[in-house]
Structure formats: C-alpha cells, structure tokens
Amino acid sequence: MRFGYLLIILLCFIFIAVRADDLEQDTIRLEGITITGSFFERFSAGSQIHAVDSVKLLSFSTLNLNDLVRSEAPIHFKSYGNGMLTSVSFRGTGAGHTAVMWNGINVNQPTVGQTDFSLFPVVAFDQVKLHFGAASSRYGSEALGGAVLLDSKPEWNMNKVQGNISAYGGRYGHDLMMGKTAFKPWKNLLSTTKFYRNRNTNNFKYHNITKPGKPIEQQENASVLQYGLIQDLYLITSGSSQLSVKSWFNYSDREIQPTMSNTDGNESQKDKSFRISADYHVSTPIGFFDAKMGYLWDYLMYNQQSLITTGQWIGQLGYEHDLAHWKFRVGVNYNHIGAVSDNYDNKQEEDRTGIYGGVVYSGLGNMNISFNFKQQFISGFEPPLAPSLGIQYEIPLSSNSRMILDGQASLNYRVPTLNDRFWQPGGRPDLKPEQSQNVEGTISYDLKADFHARISLTGFYYRVEDWILWVPAGNFWAPDNVRQVNASGLEIKSGLTFPIGKTDLDFNGFYSLTHSIIGDTGDEDDRSEGNQLPYTPVHLAGMNLTWTSNQWSAAVYGNMTGQAFVTTDNQTGLPGYFLVHLQGSRKFRINRQLLALDIRIDNLLDKDYQSVLYRAMPGRTYVIGLQFYFKK
Amino acid sequence: MKKQSRFLLIFTTALAVFFSCDNKDPEPMQIPEFNHGVFVLNEGNFTEGDGSLSFFDLDSLKVENNIFEKVNERPFAGVLQSMRFHDEHAYLVDQLGRLEVVRAQDLVSTFSISSGFDIPRYFAGFQDRGYVTDWGPYDENFANNESTIKVYDLATMMPMTAFETASRPEDIRIVRNKIYVANSGTNIVSVYDVMDNSLIDELEVSMGPARFILDKNENLWVICTGAYITTGALNGISTESDSLIFDLDLADYSPGGPVAVNGGGDIIYFMSETYNPDFSTVNTVYRVELIFNGFEPLRVELPEEVVSGSNWYGIGIDPQSDVLYIADAAGFQSNGSVLRYDPAGNLIDQFDVGRGPRDFVFRNE
C-alpha cells in the first residue's frame, strides 16, 4: 500500500519532469566561523558555497564530475561528446574562469588554464563543494566565475577495516569497476585506498543530421578507457596536530569523437596525471598553523605524436588566530611551473608567489563581515591586487525559521595561460591579465518544521576586461586581449525535505538567468557588441526528486539547458535540451555486510541533442551494477 | 502531509509549465538556380565544423546564406576550404576530410566522399578525372611529409590512384595538360604530366607557395607566404617553358595568402597581414599591375594600396565588373560579412554571410 502510494507519486514526478525542467540543490550554509572545512570557507562570509550531499556523491559514483555538478546547480558544461573534453562555465564565464581546487591546490592545467571535467570521476572525491562567484582573493588566478572544491576526507568513525567494491555493466559497451578500502591499524592512523576503472566504447546510435535523410548511424572513434588510484594517509600526531598525505593517479586513453560529418576521424588523446599533497596542521595557544607541499604532474599526448608535460611544485604556509570577535589569517604560497611541449620553443618555467590575508569580524550581533586579499607575483607579470569584501546578516524570523542576507564585492583576475604566451606560432608573452569586478547579493529563507524548506535568490553582476581570445592572424591563430563582457543574472535555488513515514522525500530545484553580454570591441564592423556570449545559455534549470528508505532509494533528475548561440552575432543557435535521468537501488543485508543493486538510466527520453555543434551525444543509456560493502 | 504533497505538485507543475518550450522548424525555401552571382565560402570554425556556403545573386543583389543546407536539407558541417567548378559539377573540399560533389546549377548533392582523406585542400578537374591535394597526416614534429594528390574517376567518384608530392600541397591547377601544385610547406611548385601523373619538374619558388592565379596569357602566378608571415613573394611561372619569369619580393607587404586577378587578367590583387603595435591585425589589399610585352610580362609594377581594414580573411574580384570582394571573418567569433568595393577602392555595399568567409567563386552562366 505504502509502496503503491509512492509509486504513484514517483510517476507523477516523472511526468512532471517530462514536461518541465528545473531542479535542485540546497545551499548548505556555513555554520558561523568555527574551524571546519578549509579556510576558503571559513573566510567566505557573504559568499555562496554549496556542498554536495555525500549520499548523492555515492549515487553518482559511476559518472564524471560534470554530470554531478550539472544536476546540483545551474552551472553549464560544454562537452565535445560523452567522456570527451568538457569545460565548465559558472555564471556565464568562460572555460578558464573557474578554479578547480583539489585538496586546496589549483589543478587547472597550466598550459590551457582549465580542467577537462571528463577526467575527474566523481568516485575520486569524498567531498565536492561549489563556490559561486568570483573569488581571486582566496583562490588566486582564474576564479572569475567560481570554484570547484574537491577534497579527500578521513572517516575516523570506523573499526579496523571497511570498504566497498562495485561492478557495473551498461549499454553501448560500457563497464565500470571501483572500490575503496579504509584501514585503521591504530586509533591515530588511517589509510584510504580507492581505485576505479571505466571503459566505454561509446558506439551509440544517433541521428546524423549532417547526412541526407538524417540516417541513424553508429558513433565511431569515441571510446574511452580511464582508470585511477587514490591513496590517502592521515596521521594524528598529537591531540592538536594532524599530518595527511593525499595522492591521486589518473590515466585516460580516449579516441577523440569527430564531428558528425567527419565519420572517418581517427584522432586520439592520452592523459596521465599524478597529484600529491602533504598537509600538516597544528593548533597552538598562539594560533593555528598549517603547511602544505604538493606536486602535480600532467601528461597529454595527442595522436601519439604531440606531447605536453607539465610539473608543478606547490608550497603553502598559513597562520590563523581568533581574538574576541576577530578571526585573522595570513599566508604565503609558492608555485613553480615547468612545461615542455613540442609547440614551445624551450622548456617554459614560471614562478608564482602569493601573499594573502583574511579577516572575519563577528562583533555586530548577527552580522559577519569578511575581508580577504591576495597579491600574486608571477614571472613576467604583475597581476593586480585581488581584494574582496563580504557581509552576511542573519535575521531570525521565528524559533524555526530565519532569513539570511549575503553580499560580496571583489576584484579578480586571470593570468594568460602558458599556451597563450608561448605556443608557437601565435603565443604572445606580453598579453595582459584579464581583470574583473564583481558584486553579488543573496537573500535566503530557511524553515525547519516537520519538513525543511529553503529557498535563496541571488543577483549578480560582473564585468571582465581584456578577455583573451584566439583569433586568426594570417596563417595561424593568436591570442589577444580583445573582449569585454558585462554580465548580470539571477540564481534561484530551492529545496524541500519531508519525511513520509520512515522514508524521506527530498526535492531540489534550481534556475538561473544569465546575460553575459559582449561589450564594446572598438571595431564598428563587429557584430558582437550587445550580444550573448557563445555557448552560454540564458536559461538553465534543474529539478531533483529523491526518495529514500532503509532498503530502497529512487531518484529522478531533470535538467534543462536553454538555447545557446554558436557565434557572437547570435545568428547561429544550438537548440536547448531537456534531459531526464533515473536512478534506483535496493539494499540487501547479508549478516553484517551489505549488498546493493543499483541501476541508472541516463537520457530517459532518448533526446537527440548536442552540447557542441555537430558533436553527437548518446540517447538513452543505462548501467546496472552491484555494490558490496564490507566491514570488520 | 496531504497539504505538502499538493503544494509540491502545484509547485512542480508550475515549473513544468514555465519551462516547457516548443521547437520551430526552419522554413523551407524554394531552390533557386545559382547561375549569375558569387559563392561565398564560409570556412567555419575548426572545432565545430560549421562551414557553410552563401550566394550573392548579381541580378537581385541579394544574399542567401546556408544554401548548401537549404538545398540538401543537411548542413555542410565541415571546414570549407575550397570550391571549384568542373563541367556540370562543383567540388567542395572540407579540410576535415571530405569531398562534396554537387550539381553546378542548383547545388543538389550527387556524391559525398568522407573516407580516404587526411587534410584535403583544393580540387582541380581534367576531363573525367578529379585531383585533390591532401596534406597527409601530421608526423611527430607537426610536419606533413606524406602529402599526396588523390585522383578520382569523376563518373563514378571512385578513387583511381594517389601520387606523392612535396609537403603541404595547397592550390592545384591544370594548364597545358600539366598539373601544377603549390607545396606550401616547401619552396617548390611541382609539375606533373596529366596523362600519367609523372613528375615533369620541380620549380623552385619563394618559401610557402599557396595560391595560384592565371594571367591573360596563361602564365601562372603564385603567392608565397613565406615562413609564418615574415617574408613573402609573388612569383610568375611560364606554363610554356615551366620556368620562373618573375620574382616580386613582398617581404615588406606580408602577404597572407588570399590572391585574385581581374577580368582582364593583368592586375593581381593580394592581401597583407600585419600588426599594429597593440597587436590588432591590419589587412591591406594591394594591386599589382602586369605590363605585358607579348605573352610574358615585361615588368611588374610595385604594389599599390587599394583598401585596408582588419579581420579580413579573403578577397575576390568579379571578372565581369572588377568589383573587389572582401571577406571579413570577424575573428571567427561571429558570422562574417562581405564588403564590396569598386576598382577605385570606394565601398559599394556590404552584407552578412556565414562564419569565417575565406574565398569567393564567381559564376556566370
């Protein structure tokens, strides 16, 4: 009876999802300014940081980070195919305008200044947070639109050994395996090992709209093989200090999916990366100290011919202190980058040194004020000072409801990438950094009764100057500081959780409206001025509905991507699309162990769509798998 | 409880209604004939392959964009490098590895070959055979040392043979039963016998021969873009003796590749690529007058500036009116436009075309 009732509700939602689009996400608010999370969060009063629920993280373990983020918040991804190059756009900014922080280190590839989200499987992270809006004062260069914070997290609350292993198979030659083992030999030592392997032939069928009669064809040359290993070690060295070493190796061998008209393509790309970060932090009577050392190595081989490798050393020191209503932080960081490419004249090296500081003042009742700054010194560059000022004001409305007002203003920048400066031919060492000014404000409402409802509305405005673009320069293309962009927009995020008997129903919806408008180009023949940036949908929306009980869980995700333009004159459009994904799982207890049957259907409506013009995307696909959880 | 469910339903339904949208079908168009006008080749952006074809009708003075798609109900969807007419057909080369064959008068597709190419560039037809230059694959040093000319039987569009040429062949012309190939990765114009594809000669020209034009006496002129854009030259080749008859140094003019000839076959136009101190591009169209004495030019006048602008990517000359056509590619960020100038350099008009216009092909039947 109860099941039938739920089934009806679920079907209703599927129906609604079919008609609609929108959904998702709850903004988890920072709890004051206690020492939790990274300093990025502790000093971000006034900013919007959203943490992805850990249960959702688990249920997206067969997917890449872009699939997770897109179902969580109005953030756009541009994808050259399923598992192919995928770049992010926060609030209508460009692909290089998001800082991707892995355990506090920016892991954007220094050659292109961005991250291919297809190379980041969700299973590699214990914690995913999304920082909306510019924040160069905390993350440095590139954080013009936002930041993605990816972290490993120790699970101290366990016995000696626990872990899980899963295997999945799915449509179009797709199979996955992954596993995790946590081992705690002593009370103060924890080791976590994870592995994953994902193989996808991607030989899906699609309507080839570039051929006469739009025949159904099978996608060729789009197979993906990816595997990786993660090893984290945590050691509590005393009651007030901890050492951790986190490492991640990722390997990916992909064929590059050609455009629909070029069914003969045979290009390929191999990526390898190794990342390691060692952190030590200690709490003393005079304050909190932390130190970090890291090394990043990236390898990219294109067509078994053209190789780019980069190595980066990272060092950071920070000091934090609380004094009455004040919280201070100061720090320095250092980053040495070396890059070797067939397309650079020599090995290119760069040093980046930064000093930064932050203050939070909470002496005004329900108000928190944060101020942060970062000043970087980069070989051959003088990036501007990046300050930010944030205010958070909480208004209790009743014993169980409150309203929060947030505001932030900041100056931000992005330095040109190594390719922008050194690529031969075209690279220009004397490019200027891109600069931006941002303001944003948010009003949120939160009600906790026998259900929990929250809704927030954000308005933002920013302006980017000296935006770098590659444009034709005779026989080759070259970058230039050509563009100016004025953007404004709205974000709505809402969530509703309520219990039904012993089960939970959770609804999240989100929507964003983004006008990223190209400003004066100084060329009167230019037809870009006043138009929306290409590949930047004005409307994005999503809706999630999740139902969980002890044994069962079911979720439906709907995602609407509005129409985007391909060119800056806004004459060529790429139609919007609405995608629905379903997920269900059933848990079985076997003695003390747990077995789960998990199924996921992507693109349930079998929608034909393209994220990038003429790159086919798969229709309805599914994976089905078993997860086995063990503990001792 | 019940109240909550109802609220949820109303809420989600409202969202559903708010976000539902409908798709509009493109309007069908009547297929016109393309007999008197100019085809504008819009290269398209490389990563998207959104090349297209526009047609500016010289009777109505109206432009029709995306004509390949409108006629054939599918987009060209490639990087449109070149278009050449031969007999009753036009041959469109997609750099991404495709040759599209369409009927000349109405562009209806008759063949599409999308296998066997690496980086095809230009087409030339001779009787029932078609020749396509192909850079071949890149090697580990980003060089192309396996460049070929691919030969097709135009009746069946089956491949007949392929023969090697020097690195990065661009333009190809067949004059006096000889195949001339501009090998842009070298300083060589190769000459082959059209009967058996045997190599007759390798003419040494300046570095980077790219595009040919024929003057009124069937001398072949090749624009050489040099290594990158630091040098350049205009070389004249006698197709009778297969020898270099003129070498005009254009190092001071940085020719970018586009070249065209007037209807009289005695004025060559080329376009330069230079930079302002702030790195914005400057493109200047120059004219070079050929003074003939008999069949071979007596002398070549120094280049004379006609017009200049920026973001220009291609030029063309209407052989009937000598009107100058300039393709403004707008940095490939937006769709491009075409500017028309009279021979004195006065702007006549301008119209919008597709993305990355690069070349013009005139047709008057």
Side-chain angles (χ1 to χ4, degrees):
Chain A
M1 174 56 217
R2 192 182 70 185
F3 183 69
Y5 171 63
L6 286 164
L7 194 67
I8 288 165
I9 290 199
L10 197 65
L11 285 174
C12 285
F13 285 125
I14 291 168
F15 166 70
I16 287 159
V18 170
R19 291 291 327 272
D21 18 2
D22 187 78
L23 29 164
E24 151 345 325
Q25 132 157 9
D26 52 341
T27 298
I28 287 181
R29 202 142 274 294
L30 301 174
E31 295 295 339
I33 44 165
T34 50
I35 303 253
T36 53
S38 63
F39 96 86
F40 299 132
E41 296 158 72
R42 293 195 293 274
F43 287 83
S44 286
S47 300
Q48 301 302 307
I49 300 180
H50 167 74
V52 180
D53 179 67
S54 60
V55 175
K56 184 166 183 185
L57 219 55
L58 271 181
S59 70
F60 272 67
S61 61
T62 59
L63 296 168
N64 288 329
L65 192 57
N66 51 305
D67 299 304
L68 174 77
V69 172
R70 195 176 57 178
S71 83
E72 208 41 37
I75 293 168
H76 183 57
F77 288 89
K78 179 179 167 190
S79 199
Y80 285 82
N82 186 35
M84 301 293 132
L85 174 66
T86 299
S87 58
V88 66
S89 164
F90 269 72
R91 290 184 173 173
T93 54
H97 293 159
T98 297
V100 178
M101 312 298 289
W102 174 79
N103 289 310
I105 299 173
N106 188 332
V107 290
N108 278 339
Q109 293 192 4
T111 47
V112 290
Q114 53 180 277
T115 287
D116 179 355
F117 278 65
S118 288
L119 299 177
F120 282 45
V122 171
V123 65
F125 317 109
D126 300 326
Q127 201 166 261
V128 175
K129 290 179 183 174
L130 308 171
H131 184 130
F132 293 84
S136 285
S137 63
R138 280 143 285 173
Y139 309 107
S141 173
E142 290 159 2
L144 299 192
V148 178
L149 314 179
L150 309 167
D151 288 286
S152 300
K153 198 179 151 196
E155 274 295 339
W156 290 105
N157 186 17
M158 59 169 273
N159 291 326
K160 208 157 196 179
V161 180
Q162 71 174 41
N164 62 66
I165 184 157
S166 320
Y168 286 83
R171 200 174 183 192
Y172 302 127
H174 191 192
D175 60 79
L176 299 111
M177 269 183 79
M178 61 199 76
K180 174 182 178 177
T181 310
F183 176 51
K184 197 172 81 173
W186 303 292
K187 239 174 31 193
N188 62 340
L189 179 68
L190 176 67
S191 159
T192 307
T193 310
K194 288 198 256 185
F195 80 95
Y196 53 86
R197 179 178 181 279
N198 177 7
R199 196 167 51 171
N200 197 341
T201 313
N202 255 333
N203 55 356
F204 57 87
K205 305 268 200 317
Y206 68 99
H207 284 278
N208 191 333
I209 60 163
T210 69
K211 297 240 171 112
K214 303 183 174 43
I216 293 179
E217 292 193 349
Q218 182 168 305
Q219 181 64 54
E220 305 280 350
N221 203 64
S223 73
V224 173
L225 169 69
Q226 185 175 21
Y227 54 81
L229 188 69
I230 288 147
Q231 174 61 54
D232 299 333
L233 266 180
Y234 304 92
L235 176 68
I236 296 176
T237 40
S238 75
S240 57
S241 64
Q242 183 177 316
L243 177 70
S244 56
V245 180
K246 297 153 189 168
S247 60
W248 175 21
F249 174 75
N250 184 65
Y251 172 90
S252 151
D253 186 356
R254 293 182 283 187
E255 292 172 333
I256 300 179
Q257 181 179 323
T259 60
M260 291 182 193
S261 62
N262 176 26
T263 42
D264 202 28
N266 57 358
E267 301 189 318
S268 64
Q269 179 176 330
K270 234 178 238 179
D271 293 88
K272 297 180 212 174
S273 55
F274 176 68
R275 304 175 175 105
I276 185 164
S277 159
D279 295 84
Y280 177 73
H281 53 84
V282 56
S283 191
T284 71
I286 56 158
F288 179 80
F289 292 89
D290 54 44
K292 180 193 290 289
M293 274 193 70
Y295 179 70
L296 309 175
W297 176 76
D298 285 293
Y299 165 106
L300 192 163
M301 173 72 96
Y302 174 73
N303 269 354
Q304 297 164 8
Q305 289 164 352
S306 170
L307 176 66
I308 301 174
T309 52
T310 56
Q312 293 184 71
W313 286 100
I314 289 114
Q316 288 177 19
L317 283 175
Y319 168 71
E320 214 168 300
H321 191 51
D322 288 5
L323 207 67
H325 293 303
W326 296 87
K327 179 190 281 291
F328 300 93
R329 182 180 174 92
V330 288
V332 292
N333 53 28
Y334 170 74
N335 184 2
H336 176 83
I337 305 171
V340 179
S341 161
D342 299 337
N343 290 91
Y344 298 164
D345 279 344
N346 302 300
K347 180 178 180 181
Q348 296 297 339
E349 298 192 69
E350 183 177 294
D351 290 298
R352 298 185 176 193
T353 310
I355 52 169
Y356 64 89
V359 184
V360 178
Y361 179 66
S362 52
L364 296 168
N366 290 327
M367 187 184 287
N368 288 325
I369 299 173
S370 67
F371 173 77
N372 290 277
F373 75 90
K374 185 159 193 160
Q375 174 69 63
Q376 271 189 306
F377 306 93
I378 300 178
S379 330
F381 271 96
E382 283 178 27
L385 178 74
S388 68
L389 180 67
I391 294 175
Q392 182 183 70
Y393 184 56
E394 190 177 322
I395 309 162
L397 298 174
S398 68
S399 61
N400 60 0
S401 66
R402 57 180 183 158
M403 187 177 278
I404 297 164
L405 303 176
D406 284 308
Q408 188 182 228
S410 61
L411 297 178
N412 308 278
Y413 64 91
R414 171 180 176 266
V415 297
T417 65
L418 295 179
N419 282 1
D420 287 340
R421 280 178 285 157
F422 304 117
W423 186 270
Q424 288 298 331
R428 289 177 182 164
D430 58 350
L431 285 168
K432 290 178 277 187
E434 298 176 3
Q435 301 199 38
S436 88
Q437 301 115 48
N438 298 54
V439 287
E440 61 176 85
T442 300
I443 176 163
S444 357
Y445 172 76
D446 188 298
L447 171 66
K448 275 184 183 140
D450 50 347
F451 59 95
H452 181 196
R454 62 266 178 207
I455 185 158
S456 71
L457 171 69
T458 301
F460 61 85
Y461 170 82
Y462 66 84
R463 177 186 171 91
V464 182
E465 278 168 79
D466 291 325
W467 186 307
I468 295 167
L469 285 179
W470 283 68
V471 293
N475 298 333
F476 51 84
W477 289 50
D480 200 358
N481 293 98
V482 290
R483 185 178 277 169
Q484 187 226 313
V485 171
N486 298 305
S488 56
L490 289 176
E491 286 165 354
I492 299 170
K493 299 167 203 151
S494 67
L496 190 61
T497 308
F498 60 93
I500 302 174
K502 287 182 176 173
T503 69
D504 274 323
L505 196 59
D506 193 60
F507 166 83
N508 285 302
F510 57 80
Y511 167 76
S512 74
L513 172 84
T514 310
H515 287 291
S516 279
I517 304 298
I518 299 167
D520 185 12
T521 54
D523 175 359
E524 58 188 53
D525 285 339
D526 193 288
R527 290 193 279 149
S528 308
E529 192 173 332
N531 290 336
Q532 179 83 355
L533 278 180
Y535 287 107
T536 308
V538 173
H539 303 284
L540 288 172
M543 182 170 70
N544 300 341
L545 191 71
T546 312
W547 170 73
T548 40
S549 76
N550 267 339
Q551 292 178 327
W552 291 89
S553 78
V556 52
Y557 305 98
N559 248 92
M560 191 279 287
T561 303
Q563 189 204 19
F565 297 106
V566 173
T567 51
T568 56
D569 54 1
N570 291 182
Q571 293 297 307
T572 315
L574 196 59
Y577 46 91
F578 175 60
L579 303 177
V580 178
H581 316 287
L582 280 186
Q583 180 158 32
S585 76
R586 167 77 161 95
K587 290 179 187 136
F588 305 90
R589 255 168 229 290
I590 305 168
N591 299 327
R592 293 182 59 208
Q593 323 303 345
L594 189 74
L595 190 67
L597 177 69
D598 187 26
I599 179 163
R600 183 179 168 97
I601 304 172
D602 282 305
N603 196 358
L604 180 74
L605 307 180
D606 209 17
K607 176 89 184 155
D608 252 332
Y609 71 104
Q610 300 152 60
S611 173
V612 173
L613 191 64
Y614 303 140
R615 306 278 171 164
M617 296 297 274
R620 187 183 306 121
T621 60
Y622 60 81
V623 287
I624 182 161
L626 282 175
Q627 305 168 331
F628 178 65
Y629 293 83
F630 55 92
K631 61 169 97 166
K632 201 174 169 183
Chain B
M1 174 61 243
K2 215 174 166 187
K3 223 173 168 179
Q4 287 166 12
S5 307
R6 194 181 300 151
F7 165 70
L8 201 65
L9 270 175
I10 292 168
F11 180 54
T12 45
T13 311
L15 280 176
V17 172
F18 185 67
F19 290 118
S20 359
C21 51
D22 52 340
N23 297 326
K24 286 176 216 136
D25 285 327
E27 288 172 29
M29 91 160 198
Q30 285 183 316
I31 296 178
E33 296 219 324
F34 305 102
N35 288 330
H36 183 219
V38 51
F39 292 94
V40 183
L41 280 62
N42 305 299
E43 180 175 302
N45 198 24
F46 190 81
T47 51
E48 286 144 330
D50 55 353
S52 67
L53 201 56
S54 301
F55 185 73
F56 182 69
D57 191 304
L58 284 168
D59 296 322
S60 68
L61 296 181
K62 281 192 178 136
V63 67
E64 188 76 55
N65 290 320
N66 273 323
I67 51 171
F68 183 92
E69 179 169 5
K70 284 168 181 164
V71 170
N72 296 300
E73 294 182 332
R74 63 183 165 103
F76 179 76
V79 177
L80 180 52
Q81 171 70 26
S82 64
M83 177 186 193
R84 289 276 162 82
F85 284 98
H86 178 62
D87 291 340
E88 299 302 307
H89 290 93
Y91 298 82
L92 289 92
V93 180
D94 171 4
Q95 267 185 42
L96 298 178
R98 187 165 50 117
L99 178 66
E100 286 279 356
V101 188
V102 296
R103 286 204 307 242
Q105 81 271 20
D106 59 9
L107 294 188
V108 170
S109 172
T110 58
F111 272 105
S112 175
I113 301 171
S114 59
S115 62
F117 293 114
D118 286 298
I119 307 169
R121 307 294 288 189
Y122 286 84
F123 173 92
F126 181 78
Q127 294 171 355
D128 57 354
R129 293 197 293 281
Y131 300 80
V132 179
T133 55
D134 189 337
W135 281 18
Y138 285 103
D139 68 12
E140 63 272 16
N141 300 317
F142 260 98
N144 303 83
N145 290 320
E146 293 171 45
S147 300
T148 56
I149 314 291
K150 296 195 160 72
V151 189
Y152 288 84
D153 177 339
L154 297 182
T156 60
M157 287 315 291
M158 295 296 286
M160 294 171 72
T161 183
F163 53 96
E164 284 182 15
T165 189
S167 178
R168 297 189 177 174
E170 287 276 346
D171 210 348
I172 179 168
R173 291 294 176 108
I174 298 170
V175 189
R176 297 181 205 265
N177 293 344
K178 287 176 290 189
I179 307 167
Y180 292 83
V181 178
N183 300 295
S184 68
T186 67
N187 61 344
I188 291 168
V189 169
S190 307
V191 189
Y192 299 91
D193 186 330
V194 78
M195 293 308 152
D196 58 5
N197 305 329
S198 61
L199 183 68
I200 297 172
D201 210 340
E202 289 192 329
L203 306 176
E204 200 172 305
V205 294
S206 296
M207 193 63 203
R211 298 282 304 275
F212 291 128
I213 57 105
L214 270 175
D215 71 24
K216 64 180 182 184
N217 292 322
E218 286 203 321
N219 297 304
L220 195 62
W221 294 81
V222 60
I223 191 93
C224 301
T225 58
Y228 298 146
I229 54 164
T230 49
T231 58
L234 182 66
N235 289 178
I237 296 166
S238 161
T239 54
E240 199 173 16
S241 62
D242 288 335
S243 57
L244 195 67
I245 51 174
F246 247 103
D247 181 1
L248 179 65
D249 183 6
L250 299 180
D252 294 339
Y253 300 89
S254 302
V259 65
V261 67
N262 69 338
D266 57 0
I267 301 173
I268 295 173
Y269 291 76
F270 72 91
M271 195 178 80
S272 74
E273 294 276 358
T274 51
Y275 295 104
N276 283 329
D278 70 350
F279 283 117
S280 61
T281 55
V282 181
N283 305 107
T284 307
V285 177
Y286 292 94
R287 46 174 272 162
V288 176
E289 197 168 346
L290 313 177
I291 312 294
F292 287 89
N293 177 20
F295 287 107
E296 291 191 0
L298 180 66
R299 61 190 167 86
V300 174
E301 295 287 312
L302 277 177
E304 195 180 312
E305 183 175 332
V306 185
V307 280
S308 73
S310 61
N311 285 324
W312 290 358
Y313 200 58
I315 57 174
I317 304 284
D318 182 345
Q320 287 186 297
S321 62
D322 281 351
V323 167
L324 171 66
Y325 285 70
I326 288 172
D328 180 342
F332 281 69
Q333 302 303 316
S334 72
N335 285 313
S337 54
V338 169
L339 303 119
R340 303 203 310 149
Y341 288 89
D342 69 18
N346 302 310
L347 184 67
I348 302 169
D349 55 12
Q350 81 184 79
F351 52 89
D352 294 342
V353 291
R355 194 166 191 186
R358 69 165 354 259
D359 207 356
F360 301 91
V361 179
F362 295 86
R363 183 170 160 85
N364 182 24
E365 293 294 322

